[in-house]
Amino acid sequence: MSTTAVLRSEWIKVRSVRASAGSLVAVFTTTVAITILATAAVGQAEADNEGADLLFGAFYALNFGQIAAIAFGTTAVSSEYLNGALRVSLAAVPNRNLLYAAKITVVGALAIVVGLLTSFVTFLSGQAFMGSYALGLGDPGALRACVGGGLYLALISLFAAGLTVVLRSAVAVLSLLIPFILIVSFVVGDMAASVADFLPDHAGQQVLHQDPVGTLGPWTGLAVTAGWAAAALLAGWWALRRRDA
Amino acid sequence: MTSIDVQELTKEYGTTRVVDRLTFSVGPGRVTGFLGPNGAGKSTTMRLVLGLDRPTSGTATLGGRPYATLGEPLREVGALLDAQAAHGSRTARDHLRVLAASNRIPVRRVDEVLELAGIAAVAGRRIKTFSLGMRQRLGIAAALLGDPQVVMLDEPSNGLDPEGIIWIRELMRSLAREGRTVLVSSHLMNETATFADHLVVLGRGRLLADTPMRDFIDAHSERRVRVRTTDPASLRAALRRKGLEAVATGDGRWTVAGARAEEIGALAATDGIAVLELADESGSLEEAYLALTADDTEFASAATPLQEA
């Protein structure tokens, strides 16, 4: 079978399901809109605080954007697990490795493009409201944080995508990951700092700090998140190959 | 010419054997009806043929090759398994474009099959707004997308209106006339009788019959003769001598089970009984099917051996 043909088919799939296309747009719009609202309202006041990490503050809205990124990775895959849709897909592309690789490639590529765009626009638009506190791309760590933030969003999408293949349900993945990101990660983060450093969201967000503290550096932190995503994708690959459709 | 060949096919889920050492072959140029009670393993067999489920043992091939090894499978095999499988938030055209793209089928073919299935007017609508009948037509459009030599349809007339049922019947017959291999599962006997040339019947995962439909009906339904006479009393007496019993049907006719028209005609002639009407009655597919599967129905109701047809 032609790989390009299968990639095209997967691209039409993502584009033609409203939930997936919508959450991808929401990654960008949510993050940028919250950034502009927050920096315009309290950006400079917060920047005055003792020990404020201006760079990390610039990416505050990524906390919300990542929820949309999870939704994108989940819905792009979960559409295959509604009413036996996977059977139709596998009848068209019986090579499961090819189908999976093409789907993950399309999800990953879209997430990287939208992630990088989101992260750069977020940084630049937010800093426009920061007055004398404003950072530029030339400031230490800024470019690294912009690129890293984009990759972080893509990795979180892929992590969710892999998990969805294993659990075969959007509801299961969303009700697992969203409370995890919103609650568990905060609570555990306070209790056991060293363990929390290795959670997928904490680790990856190291790249957004001006001077990362803790066990992991900016890139090693992102590599840990990449490890989580890779583990989820491998588990998904194994599940798809092994199971009856 | 492509045939579907199933060899010693077995599928177990845990300890339940759903398909049990099944061997049969579906040939081109005719419509093969795939019959069996609910839970007999029809859908499972179709999934095994399509490589969606892995057999516990045995093989299923199309023209000698396993489905998974076909280069662009939709160009060789078209299947409708479940009309609900199309994602509700896509439009009908997008659903078909996804499938066409993966097998490098030109986009104009998408519009052709939409037209063929009679849903061109709603091609731009989201599938969740479709009735079951429209989804069924979309599923059939998808099965025909690649102009395949082999067509497998699981309960295609589900949810179709009377006009749709006639359409699908004519469609299947014309596909077979074009020399294609057509396998159609159904639990509607009277419906199947109108389109099938050949039957494969399953019960509890085993093969119960693999014969031409005519032979199947003859083998599994009782012969009987319908007769009308001016002198029922004499006819009944004559029949009784031969060990036959005439039963009144209520409209002035009598039915004699287990006999042939030539026997009754000769008997009446010998006795000088005037016969106004005399004809062999063939059994229906439904009768034949129920006679065969009476013991192999997994979910039969306790009170009556008859099941929903």
Side-chain angles (χ1 to χ4, degrees):
Chain A
M1 294 201 74
S2 147
T3 308
T4 9
V6 180
L7 282 169
R8 266 201 62 216
S9 160
E10 288 301 321
W11 157 237
I12 303 173
K13 270 188 202 171
V14 171
R15 215 180 45 182
S16 60
V17 167
R18 205 187 267 170
S20 311
S23 16
L24 195 58
V25 171
V27 172
F28 179 82
T29 50
T30 315
T31 315
V32 173
I34 294 177
T35 299
I36 291 174
L37 287 174
T39 48
V42 296
Q44 298 195 34
E46 289 285 319
D48 236 358
N49 291 350
E50 187 77 20
D53 184 339
L54 289 179
L55 188 58
F56 191 58
F59 291 99
Y60 163 73
L62 224 58
N63 281 312
F64 303 93
Q66 69 180 344
I67 307 249
I70 289 171
F72 168 65
T74 304
T75 54
V77 171
S78 70
S79 61
E80 298 283 4
Y81 292 97
L82 281 173
N83 304 319
L86 184 63
R87 292 187 187 135
V88 177
S89 298
L90 283 174
V93 186
N95 182 338
R96 297 187 183 200
N97 297 341
L98 178 59
L99 182 74
Y100 188 66
K103 183 175 291 296
I104 297 305
T105 305
V106 168
V107 170
L110 283 171
I112 283 185
V113 170
V114 173
L116 287 173
L117 187 72
T118 301
S119 146
F120 274 96
V121 172
T122 293
F123 179 75
L124 297 172
S125 63
Q127 295 311 302
F129 296 92
M130 293 297 283
S132 57
Y133 296 102
L135 299 172
L137 279 175
D139 282 304
L143 191 60
R144 177 250 293 160
C146 282
V147 173
L151 294 178
Y152 171 76
L153 286 173
L155 289 172
I156 288 289
S157 295
L158 288 173
F159 178 59
L163 215 53
T164 309
V165 180
V166 178
L167 298 178
R168 290 183 280 192
S169 147
V171 177
V173 173
L174 293 178
S175 54
L176 196 75
L177 283 189
I178 293 178
F180 175 81
I181 298 256
L182 291 180
I183 304 161
V184 181
S185 191
F186 275 113
V187 176
V188 176
D190 283 346
M191 291 192 315
S194 56
V195 178
D197 282 350
F198 289 89
L199 292 176
D201 56 334
H202 277 221
Q205 288 177 14
Q206 287 290 87
V207 83
L208 306 174
H209 287 275
Q210 207 139 36
D211 301 297
V213 285
T215 339
L216 299 167
W219 294 114
T220 45
L222 203 60
V224 168
T225 303
W228 281 92
L233 291 175
L234 273 174
W237 177 62
W238 178 79
L240 183 68
R241 279 177 56 95
R242 203 184 124 267
R243 284 184 191 138
D244 285 341
Chain B
M1 290 292 137
T2 316
S3 61
I4 305 170
D5 295 292
V6 169
Q7 270 292 331
E8 291 285 304
L9 195 64
T10 300
K11 178 67 180 176
E12 287 166 357
Y13 293 107
T15 56
T16 319
R17 188 171 274 207
V18 182
V19 173
D20 193 359
R21 299 187 55 197
L22 206 53
T23 300
F24 67 87
S25 174
V26 183
R30 62 191 186 196
V31 180
T32 302
F34 198 25
L35 304 179
N38 292 333
K42 305 186 294 289
S43 299
T44 307
T45 304
M46 286 191 167
R47 287 203 303 276
L48 290 166
V49 171
L50 293 172
L52 297 171
D53 289 8
R54 215 153 295 166
T56 307
S57 63
T59 58
T61 53
L62 297 134
R65 301 167 62 192
Y67 189 84
T69 67
L70 301 176
E72 278 162 336
L74 297 186
R75 292 168 176 272
E76 298 176 56
V77 181
L80 164 69
L81 291 185
D82 181 357
Q84 304 296 341
H87 197 287
S89 119
R90 277 194 193 105
T91 65
R93 178 175 283 113
D94 279 341
H95 175 69
L96 295 177
R97 281 183 59 210
V98 165
L99 298 174
S102 64
N103 279 247
R104 294 191 302 179
I105 295 163
V107 181
R108 81 183 130 71
R109 180 68 189 156
V110 168
D111 293 310
E112 273 173 34
V113 292
L114 283 165
E115 197 68 50
L116 177 71
I119 48 172
V122 293
R125 266 171 57 183
R126 288 181 193 277
I127 295 163
K128 65 178 149 211
T129 67
F130 280 23
S131 66
L132 178 57
M134 285 155 81
R135 284 172 200 247
Q136 208 74 29
R137 284 169 179 269
L138 177 62
I140 291 160
L144 298 179
L145 192 59
D147 199 14
Q149 271 303 308
V150 177
V151 179
M152 290 202 295
L153 307 172
D154 198 359
E155 310 272 358
S157 44
N158 239 352
L160 287 178
D161 53 18
E163 189 234 319
I165 289 177
I166 294 170
W167 167 72
I168 182 75
R169 178 198 306 162
E170 293 311 314
L171 178 73
M172 290 185 295
R173 299 218 52 87
S174 74
L175 289 170
R177 269 199 304 278
E178 291 161 13
R180 296 178 216 253
T181 304
V182 185
L183 179 67
V184 185
S185 87
S186 182
H187 55 247
L188 299 174
M189 293 308 127
N190 295 333
E191 183 46 42
T192 306
T194 63
F195 58 71
D197 307 302
H198 195 90
L199 294 177
V200 170
V201 186
L202 300 191
R204 296 180 199 255
R206 292 207 187 91
L207 187 70
L208 298 183
D210 177 3
T211 57
M213 186 166 72
R214 198 65 259 162
D215 298 359
F216 179 80
I217 293 173
D218 287 346
H220 297 284
S221 66
E222 204 182 28
R223 286 187 308 209
R224 57 175 183 247
V225 172
R226 182 167 39 107
V227 59
R228 192 154 67 92
T229 174
T230 49
D231 188 1
S234 310
L235 181 68
R236 294 186 69 185
L239 287 170
R240 213 166 287 135
R241 285 203 305 276
K242 293 273 176 189
L244 295 167
E245 188 66 46
V247 180
T249 54
D251 54 357
R253 296 183 174 84
W254 299 81
T255 303
V256 187
R260 282 256 177 222
E262 46 266 44
E263 275 178 78
I264 309 285
L267 193 68
T270 329
D271 283 29
I273 302 165
V275 168
L276 304 177
E277 195 181 316
L278 180 65
D280 277 316
E281 268 194 350
S282 60
S284 67
L285 175 58
E286 187 166 60
E287 275 175 57
Y289 167 83
L290 289 175
L292 179 69
T293 59
D295 302 329
D296 288 283
T297 307
E298 190 175 359
F299 305 110
S301 45
T304 58
L306 284 175
Q307 53 184 8
E308 46 158 336

